[in-house]
Amino acid sequence: MNNRKIIIIGNGIAGITAARHIRKKDVGAEILVVSGESDHFFSRTALMYIYMGHMKYAHTKPYEDGFWEKNRINLKRAWVDTVDFQGKKVEYRDGGTDAYDVLILATGSKPNKFGWPGQDLQGVQGLYSLQDLERMEQNTKDIKKAVIVGGGLIGIEMAEMLASRKIEVTFLVREENFWDNVLPKEEAQLIGRHIREHHIDLRLGTELGEIIGDSSGRVKAVSTKSGEKIDCQFVGLTVGVSPNIEFLRNSELGTNRGILVNEFFQTNIPDVYAIGDCAEFKQAPAPDRRNIEQVWYTGRMHGETLAHNLTHSKAVPYKPGIWFNSAKFFDIEYQTYGTVPTALPADWDWFYWEDPKGKRCFRIVFGKSDKKIKGVNALGWRLRHAYFDKAIAEGWMMEKVLLHLQKANFDPEFFDSPHKDVLAAYNEQYGKSLQPALKSLFQNLFGTKV
Amino acid sequence: MKQFQQAGIVIFVISLLLFSVLPFIGSYKLEKETLAASVKTEHLGVMEEVLAPMVGQEFSSNFAFMGEFNRLFGGYNDAMKANQQWDKVIWDNYAFALTKASALGPVSQNPHFYLFITVVFGVVGALMYILPMYRGKPEGIKHDGIFFSSMKSKGLLGILTGTWLILFYIVLYWFPEYLTNLVLMVDPISMALSGNPASQWFLYGFVYTLAIIVMGIRMFRKYRGNAYQTIRTVSVMFFQLAFAFLLPEIMVLMNMPWHDFKNIWPLDYSFFYDYRIDGMVNAGALGMFMLIWGIILIVLGVPIFTYFFGKRWYCSWVCGCGGLAETLGDPYRQLSDKSVKAWKIERYLIHGVLVFAILMTGLTIANYFTEFALLGQATNQLHSIYGFAIGSAFAGVVGTGFYPLMGNRVWCRFGCPLAAYLGIVQRFKSRFRITTNGGQCISCGNCSTYCEMGIDVRWYAQRGQNIVRSSCVGCGVCSAVCPRGVLKLENADEEGRINEKPILIGNNSITLNA
Ligand SMILES: Cc1cc2nc3c(=O)[nH]c(=O)nc-3n(C[C@H](O)[C@H](O)[C@H](O)COP(=O)(O)OP(=O)(O)OC[C@H]3O[C@@H](n4cnc5c(N)ncnc54)[C@H](O)[C@@H]3O)c2cc1C
Ligand code: SF4
Ligand code: SF4
């Protein structure tokens, strides 16, 4: 293990987590993290806040610049053009090479483009990198109207970003409801209403036809499949991302959509690993998981697990726990734990509660016959991760989960927690009379054991 | 609505400008009778003699008036000092009293009018801007454009505002005689409340309270829908208005010492000074209550409340300095320095001030009980050093003047000895913590950016560790701004509160201590 040279391509959450944890367990290794995007690790998830003026780029860096030197993690700002897997070295675009003993590929994603006419016009772009953000800054300077194509998480973030600059936004979503390939109908509709509350012109069931440019090569309008023409000076393409591995294709590295790995993140080449958005598991890590995991948390866990394997004699397979995720749609926060399908499988059931004001909701999914919890969704209500991780892992009865919902409440103090309303609605719908354990005034004031 | 708000800004700025030039209008004339009314009898003879050349003469500005006064009075004192005639030197500061009494300007004739065009107009203008804020917008975090704002991100407006505040504090603390017009303007209010004419401290308390109330209303608008922020803001507004402003004046009306019942030593650093102790002891049952109440707060109130609720019960719910920081200072909370270096400086400074305050107070009390045999008048020297360096320069000039430059909690973070004391209890013996929600953090940095105490909240959140930092004032803003619902301020069992080796939920491959 001594003094081996580890090169990590990619300074995102996956690569950086690996680097940090390797350093913790292996004081001797020489660690080099290479990225062409930025000098330091920053939080990609915070890109929108830079554009909206909530933060500056410096605020999005989770570690002070001195941290890296202190932990002897070398950083290099460069694009890797080729990897010589035989000679075990990486070659940089601007010349020069570095040799490695172990190579970790953590190159992330890039925005999808589906070959639409006009997709390369000026003023048309996706949002993934810092450079994208800079381009967006220039492309949206002094414009009035923008169109966003694609109803996912980055699409809605882009809508919020543009709206914060008082740019009129038309939001084209192919599906019947916003993000309804992930959210059940009610949640998707709740978000749809909220999007419109923010004066976004949300067009559901609408597909992009083509992007139309002016004589100078700048976008001036889009047309939809149904033939409608919408004037705009900016088009955001947010129709998903795919692994950023172009420079590795046509090498001996095994790839499909991403870099193919087993449950130990090993590629087909010894001492070469892939983690984060760019990795594609030959076999999905769990029945409810995809082969390519493209979220922050999984990137982190890949990094943690690989670092463990590289610093311990016995390697462990990647075994993700109960699924969780979160997002924020304008002002409404979303959290999910476990499995919540968009449509019910035969032996599953669910219970849905929505606040009369229509800005908060809660859904619990459970087995039709065994009544064991499978997952929850919440909008506008913060829930305690530890509570649901335990409940789902231990297979609690859904009524037990509902009875103790107060313990799951993670909203700030003095917020009126909807746990009682949820239970009351459940009682009414199912003709039950469940009563929650009441907290005494003393407990409310001084807090109880969680 | 936009024009209405803009009109509000214009009105506010005009009244602020008037407020700023008001001190410099009018003329001044020292009359013999004024002198007699304002000067101690033992000094009267000398003062009459020394100031004779300026008596009855009209000066066109307070600069001219003060110039002459300083020349004559200073000249006298210098001469006495040069001759080593120390007993003849007049140490009392008559500048403020004499200037105030000599003002001839329009303000003394018509204080209501000037109060109206400066303060009342200013408040109206500010409210015209504040009340329609975010009207028709859904509830949520309102941080769009903060780092593009000149005012809120150390641009020209921020620097100007900071400069204005710094100058205001310098004049208030060390040259109050230049503020006499403003003080005259609030005389009627002071008379109505306590039956006494206003001092510069009354003016300060008045403006301070108004700032908390007006900017507190802004908090209601900005954090609409956030019950924690709303209730907390009501609390600081109430404590400032009732306990720091009205009640002390009413005490004076009742011939009691001016007393703020919610101020606690060592923030209230003069609590054990001999004149305060004497004042309380000589003020009958209520005076004794003041003394005992003050001591109970120190020895029982602070530890017990902090054990149950964390230091927030005081710092962001009750305290006047905290109240101003949380209202007037809220637009600047993102300017606090989050670096580890700043944290280090913070620990040295704040605990240094605490030690200073304790030593000074200890000596004062020892000296008091030995009837000044121990140190004689030396403690007075100590008091004036502390009063100058900590009480005025640090707490006032730096603490508030630097809001737009270093964030709104400079004093609370780097200087307040009471915060240091509360913080020690909070760190080591408390049920309060900020819980992080499993593995949900995306390291975005909103929490750290908007932490006014400069705590790098994200450092803890992204590793799943509870935040138990001694400096956390429990303002709850980190929790409010977190887009992933990761942070919750809680009072709960001490067990597991400090988790040095936290575990992030969600990865079953390994048990990992982040
Ligand atoms: C706007 C936006 C918002 C998001 N919000 C969320 C969210 O709220 N929650 C969530 O869970 N996920 C979110 N995601 C997804 C999440 O950010 C990604 O899953 C995660 O960042 C992937 O991390 P990674 O380390 O795998 O790759 P990346 O963060 O993409 O890092 C890879 C790095 O490698 C560099 N690189 C690639 N190729 C080369 C090369 N040849 N030479 C040199 N350097 C190279 C890239 O430039 C990049 O800097 C969001 C993504 C975006 C774009
Ligand atoms: S950690 Fe949070 S609650 Fe504490 S002072 Fe900072 S922002 Fe306020
Ligand atoms: S604001 Fe929330 S998600 Fe962002 S870094 Fe802080 S705790 Fe993490």
Side-chain angles (χ1 to χ4, degrees), chain B residues 434 450-453 455 457 472-478 489:
Chain B
I434 302 177
Y450 287 92
C451 175
E452 54 191 358
M453 296 305 285
I455 298 172
V457 183
C472 169
V473 291
C475 66
V477 169
C478 54
L489 283 67

Side-chain angles (χ1 to χ4, degrees), chain B residues 281-301:
Chain B
V281 171
N282 296 331
L286 193 57
M288 271 327 269
F289 173 75
M290 287 174 185
L291 183 60
I292 293 167
W293 171 250
I295 293 172
I296 288 179
L297 279 179
I298 299 161
V299 297
L300 293 177

Side-chain angles (χ1 to χ4, degrees), chain A residues 351 353 362 381 398-405 418-430 432-437:
Chain A
F351 164 73
W353 168 86
F362 175 75
W381 185 19
M398 65 87 73
E399 289 195 348
K400 176 178 170 188
V401 174
L402 291 184
L403 268 177
H404 297 281
L405 265 188
H419 63 277
K420 282 193 202 134
D421 302 339
V422 172
L423 195 63
Y426 175 78
N427 280 337
E428 195 182 308
Q429 195 173 323
Y430 288 81
K432 302 260 176 137
S433 52
L434 303 180
Q435 288 304 323

Side-chain angles (χ1 to χ4, degrees), chain B residues 226-513:
Chain B
N226 186 324
Y228 184 78
Q229 297 304 327
T230 307
I231 297 176
R232 180 172 81 75
T233 304
V234 170
S235 175
V236 291
M237 288 161 83
F238 167 77
F239 277 102
Q240 175 61 30
L241 181 64
F243 280 74
F245 185 63
L246 293 178
L247 205 55
E249 297 299 328
I250 293 171
M251 303 296 294
V252 174
L253 185 66
M254 294 175 2
N255 283 321
M256 291 279 167
W258 192 101
H259 195 82
D260 176 354
F261 282 94
K262 63 156 185 49
N263 206 354
I264 305 178
W265 178 89
L267 174 59
D268 182 6
Y269 58 89
S270 63
F271 186 80
F272 293 104
Y273 285 7
D274 46 296
Y275 76 91
R276 292 275 305 269
I277 302 268
D278 285 342
M280 291 185 277
V281 171
N282 296 331
L286 193 57
M288 271 327 269
F289 173 75
M290 287 174 185
L291 183 60
I292 293 167
W293 171 250
I295 293 172
I296 288 179
L297 279 179
I298 299 161
V299 297
L300 293 177
V302 168
I304 292 177
F305 280 116
T306 308
Y307 172 70
F308 282 111
F309 306 115
K311 80 199 263 189
R312 57 181 170 155
W313 78 269
Y314 194 73
C315 296
S316 62
W317 284 71
V318 172
C319 179
C321 304
L324 192 72
E326 294 292 350
T327 51
L328 182 69
D330 180 72
Y332 308 110
R333 54 173 55 250
Q334 64 282 356
L335 302 177
S336 59
D337 188 339
K338 316 300 185 303
S339 66
V340 175
K341 194 168 145 211
W343 183 16
K344 206 177 211 167
I345 296 173
E346 163 194 321
R347 283 177 311 205
Y348 277 114
L349 266 181
I350 195 167
H351 295 119
V353 174
L354 177 64
V355 170
F356 186 4
I358 290 175
L359 284 179
M360 174 184 78
T361 306
L363 286 175
T364 307
I365 295 175
N367 207 16
Y368 185 79
F369 282 110
T370 56
E371 312 211 323
F372 301 94
L374 189 63
L375 290 160
Q377 297 305 325
T379 44
N380 285 346
Q381 216 75 35
L382 217 47
H383 294 172
S384 46
I385 294 174
Y386 190 95
F388 174 82
I390 312 292
S392 308
F394 205 157
V397 181
V398 179
T400 309
F402 279 72
Y403 274 9
L405 307 172
M406 291 172 69
N408 54 334
R409 285 276 192 180
V410 180
W411 161 247
C412 315
R413 178 183 181 193
F414 294 102
C416 176
L418 178 57
Y421 172 28
L422 288 154
I424 290 169
V425 181
Q426 163 158 297
R427 175 67 183 78
F428 295 105
K429 194 68 194 164
S430 173
R431 294 161 59 86
F432 172 72
R433 88 291 308 269
I434 302 177
T435 310
T436 52
N437 203 7
Q440 288 280 24
C441 176
I442 52 168
S443 301
C444 69
N446 274 295
C447 51
S448 299
T449 305
Y450 287 92
C451 175
E452 54 191 358
M453 296 305 285
I455 298 172
D456 190 359
V457 183
R458 164 174 56 193
W459 171 270
Y460 304 91
Q462 66 193 358
R463 60 205 296 264
Q465 187 175 12
N466 288 345
I467 294 123
V468 293
R469 283 273 290 270
S470 58
S471 61
C472 169
V473 291
C475 66
V477 169
C478 54
S479 160
V481 298
C482 174
R484 294 295 178 273
V486 179
L487 305 163
K488 181 171 167 63
L489 283 67
E490 287 188 297
N491 312 311
D493 245 41
E494 275 179 275
E495 196 194 318
R497 173 176 169 268
I498 297 178
N499 49 348
E500 293 290 359
K501 296 223 176 282
I503 292 172
L504 283 164
I505 304 174
N507 187 357
N508 288 356
S509 327
I510 42 173
T511 324
L512 181 104
N513 296 122

Side-chain angles (χ1 to χ4, degrees), chain A residues 64 66 84 107 120 220 250 270 284 292 305 355 382:
Chain A
E64 282 183 36
D84 174 359
T107 55
D120 294 320
K220 66 169 193 197
N250 308 320
I292 305 184
T305 314
D355 188 86
R382 294 178 174 176

